[in-house]
Amino acid sequence: MPAVKHQAPQLAELRRRTLSVLLANRPLIDSILNRPTREPVGDNRHLLDQTAELVAIVRQLHAADLADLLESLPHDERLALWRLVDNNKRGKTLVEASENVWESLIAEMSNRDILQAISPLDVDEQAYLARYLPRDLVGRVLTALEPHRRAQVREMMHFDRDSVGHHMDFELATVRSDVTLTTVQRWLRWRKKLPENSDKLFVVDRHNTLVGELTLSALLLNPLNRRVSEVMDAHPTTFHPDDRAEEAASAFERYDMITAPVIDSKGKLMGRLSIEQMVDLYFEESDSNLRRLGGSSPEEDIFAPVRKAVRTRWTWLAVNLCTAFIASRVIGLFDGTIAQLVSLAALMPIVAGIGGNTGNQTITMIVRAAALHQLEKGNAGFLILRELGVAIINGLVWGGIMGIVTWLLYGEAGLGGVMMLAMLLNLLLAALMGVLIPLLMIRIGHDPAVGSSVMITAITDTGGFFIFLGLATLFLIH
């Protein structure tokens, strides 16, 4: 049975059935992985029936749905399901899956299986996977290709993963500008196929230099005796292979593009970008930014072994430990103050927590603005003043409320005033750092999402403790 794209209810049912068969079924997992069964099995026939049911489901699932299902399974269950996937379907599934699960899946395949899985893929898909294969296997993959395809794969592998060249594909439909629309339609009927997501044909001269674009709507809606040069767009939006892929994705969103040509420095057509690649890039960048904001590695698999998860998180945990130690030393400077006013120990976390929340809100807005290319050199001052204004209002309102609550709880108006002032000052610090940290990281060429929340939390904790305890020492200790 061929793989098909299912409607949402059908896909949800297939997913539910797969998970219900696999999860918490240790004997079935062990039998598929050819391991000694860890639990007693009453009927081997039952295991065979369950395996046959899984095979039938796998054959029905589209590669994208299968990839999503594999990413949702723990390690052993993932490997068991992967063993049931036909080798001619594995290549497309790998393309659709995230890089986080590739290592475990490819480790289950022999070199021969990998070559067989990759061979049916398009050039851009082969180049995409080849970057993550062992070097000796990459050589075998390239050797098996035709010379012109081998050159294309080598060319794509040369580009940085954040560049347009990394994401372009070579499946093109080109025409000459001096032919009629009748000729173009006749040629398309003879070809019987267009590249996926095609909304236009690329117009080139005899030297493969791009001279324009012919949209399919222009091809269908104009008189057939007109020439391509009369109805084409002679000034299309183009990209160079070294352009940043993130900027290309923004252009696709801004101009509502489906496809766009990629040209070299001499204007020769090299490949194209399509909406499919840009959507994949968008989700990849969103997921990566979300992880980096929390100081987590973008490569971490949620079902990865404990040892690997520890390795991917230790850097920012070490940073956190250092900043927490600094915060503890700040508190230690005011031991005498806390000994005289024990209530300060209960109120300190409130000041630090509200500052960290404010800082993270500000950083999220700045990182989002950077991703949407809304940050310019001239508006940094406006952003700082805006966030400081928001912090002043929030500090006066919520600091005032917390000051009154503190006064009522502890019966000391002075302590309530210190609480209000400390919250106001820490919110101002959080707002200022929330703008400056990502702007500084952008200025020095680093991703503003990487660990920004960890840094702002450290600053607001340390600053909040220092401000609150310092004010208490200044105004309340005699």
Side-chain angles (χ1 to χ4, degrees):
M1 181 181 296
V4 296
K5 295 180 181 179
H6 295 275
Q7 295 180 354
Q10 296 172 312
L11 179 60
E13 175 60 21
L14 288 173
R15 182 188 180 93
R16 186 196 63 77
R17 285 171 55 194
T18 304
L19 294 176
S20 65
V21 172
L22 274 176
L23 295 177
N25 194 340
R26 195 72 244 178
L28 175 63
I29 303 302
D30 290 337
S31 68
I32 295 175
L33 297 178
N34 301 318
R35 298 173 179 171
T37 303
R38 305 179 190 178
E39 300 176 8
V41 181
D43 184 7
N44 286 332
R45 182 64 188 175
H46 181 59
L47 293 180
L48 294 176
D49 291 341
Q50 290 181 319
T51 303
E53 181 181 1
L54 286 176
V55 171
I57 293 175
V58 166
R59 289 176 178 172
Q60 293 181 63
L61 286 173
H62 186 268
D65 300 326
L66 183 57
D68 181 66
L69 186 57
L70 287 165
E71 293 172 1
S72 305
L73 290 171
H75 183 262
D76 282 358
E77 286 79 358
R78 179 187 297 163
L79 296 186
L81 186 62
W82 184 241
R83 286 201 175 183
L84 303 180
V85 180
D86 292 335
N87 212 36
N88 58 4
K89 194 176 183 179
R90 283 181 166 183
K92 198 67 178 178
T93 303
L94 284 172
V95 172
E96 297 290 346
S98 68
E99 300 171 22
N100 304 333
V101 303
W102 282 358
E103 182 179 348
S104 60
L105 298 181
I106 292 178
E108 280 291 299
M109 303 171 66
S110 66
N111 287 354
R112 182 179 178 181
D113 289 340
I114 294 174
L115 290 172
Q116 184 180 350
I118 289 178
S119 58
L121 300 178
D122 295 333
V123 172
D124 58 305
E125 294 172 333
Q126 290 178 333
Y128 178 58
L129 292 177
R131 295 182 181 91
Y132 305 94
L133 299 178
R135 182 169 297 182
D136 60 329
L137 191 56
V138 173
R140 293 177 61 183
V141 170
L142 295 175
T143 303
L145 298 176
E146 298 176 2
H148 74 283
R149 297 190 72 184
R150 187 184 310 137
Q152 290 174 334
V153 171
R154 287 186 183 276
E155 189 174 25
M156 287 194 69
M157 292 177 64
H158 171 73
F159 294 111
D160 184 80
R161 64 179 296 161
D162 295 324
S163 68
V164 164
H166 178 89
H167 297 274
M168 70 178 177
D169 69 62
F170 295 98
E171 194 175 0
L172 301 169
T174 60
V175 295
R176 297 288 179 81
S177 61
D178 56 350
V179 300
T180 64
L181 300 185
T182 300
T183 303
V184 175
Q185 289 192 12
R186 189 183 302 120
W187 173 73
L188 289 176
R189 284 192 293 269
W190 170 82
R191 177 172 173 158
K192 297 181 180 180
K193 183 182 179 182
L194 276 175
E196 291 185 7
N197 303 308
S198 289
D199 66 327
K200 65 191 64 168
L201 308 176
F202 301 114
V203 185
V204 297
D205 62 16
R206 65 180 61 187
H207 302 295
N208 200 43
T209 300
L210 183 72
V211 296
E213 293 176 341
L214 176 64
T215 64
L216 296 184
S217 59
L219 173 62
L220 295 174
L221 300 178
N222 283 284
L224 295 179
N225 60 351
R226 299 190 69 178
R227 296 189 179 277
V228 171
S229 58
E230 298 177 287
V231 298
M232 72 179 187
D233 178 6
H235 303 285
T237 300
T238 61
F239 298 97
H240 293 277
D242 293 323
D243 291 343
R244 290 186 59 198
E246 188 178 348
E247 294 178 355
S250 296
F252 265 69
E253 186 274 332
R254 190 161 55 250
Y255 303 130
D256 296 324
M257 294 189 294
I258 304 297
T259 58
V262 180
I263 60 175
D264 63 15
S265 57
K266 297 181 180 179
K268 295 186 181 298
L269 183 63
M270 296 180 62
R272 67 166 190 156
L273 293 177
S274 74
I275 188 65
E276 178 183 4
Q277 288 121 8
M278 296 299 98
V279 170
D280 290 343
L281 175 66
Y282 171 79
F283 281 107
E284 180 182 330
E285 287 295 321
S286 298
D287 176 70
S288 179
N289 286 338
L290 183 61
R291 291 169 182 259
R292 286 168 174 161
L293 274 172
S296 178
S297 170
E299 290 78 29
E300 183 176 344
D301 174 16
I302 190 174
F303 295 112
V306 172
R307 184 183 304 175
K308 184 176 181 181
V310 169
R311 287 201 308 268
T312 58
R313 299 186 191 185
W314 77 269
T315 301
W316 286 109
L317 288 177
V319 173
N320 253 336
L321 182 61
C322 293
T323 57
F325 179 78
I326 295 172
S328 71
R329 291 298 82 209
V330 170
I331 296 174
L333 295 175
F334 299 95
D335 284 344
T337 302
I338 297 175
Q340 294 186 49
L341 287 173
V342 181
S343 56
L344 296 177
L347 297 172
M348 284 190 306
I350 299 175
V351 178
I354 196 70
N357 182 270
T358 298
N360 278 315
Q361 289 177 340
T362 303
I363 279 182
T364 301
M365 294 298 297
I366 300 300
V367 170
R368 177 182 178 275
L372 296 176
H373 306 285
Q374 296 174 347
L375 292 182
E376 302 292 342
K377 292 182 179 179
N379 58 23
F382 171 80
L383 290 174
I384 292 174
L385 292 177
R386 174 187 180 274
E387 291 302 320
L388 289 177
V390 173
I392 288 174
I393 295 175
N394 283 332
L396 291 174
V397 173
W398 297 108
I401 292 174
M402 196 60 213
I404 294 173
V405 171
T406 302
W407 181 13
L408 295 176
L409 282 176
Y410 297 99
E412 295 186 33
L415 181 60
V418 166
M419 186 68 177
M420 182 188 74
L421 184 57
M423 287 186 63
L424 172 62
L425 293 177
N426 201 29
L427 287 179
L428 288 172
L429 174 65
L432 182 63
M433 292 296 103
V435 176
L436 291 182
I437 287 175
L439 288 181
L440 180 61
M441 296 180 75
I442 294 172
R443 183 71 177 270
I444 63 178
H446 287 282
D447 188 344
V450 179
S452 292
S453 64
V454 177
M455 296 174 64
I456 194 68
T457 300
I459 291 174
T460 54
D461 282 356
T462 304
F465 294 148
F466 183 81
I467 291 170
F468 181 55
L469 296 176
L471 290 174
T473 302
L474 185 62
F475 294 110
L476 301 179
I477 303 300
H478 304 288

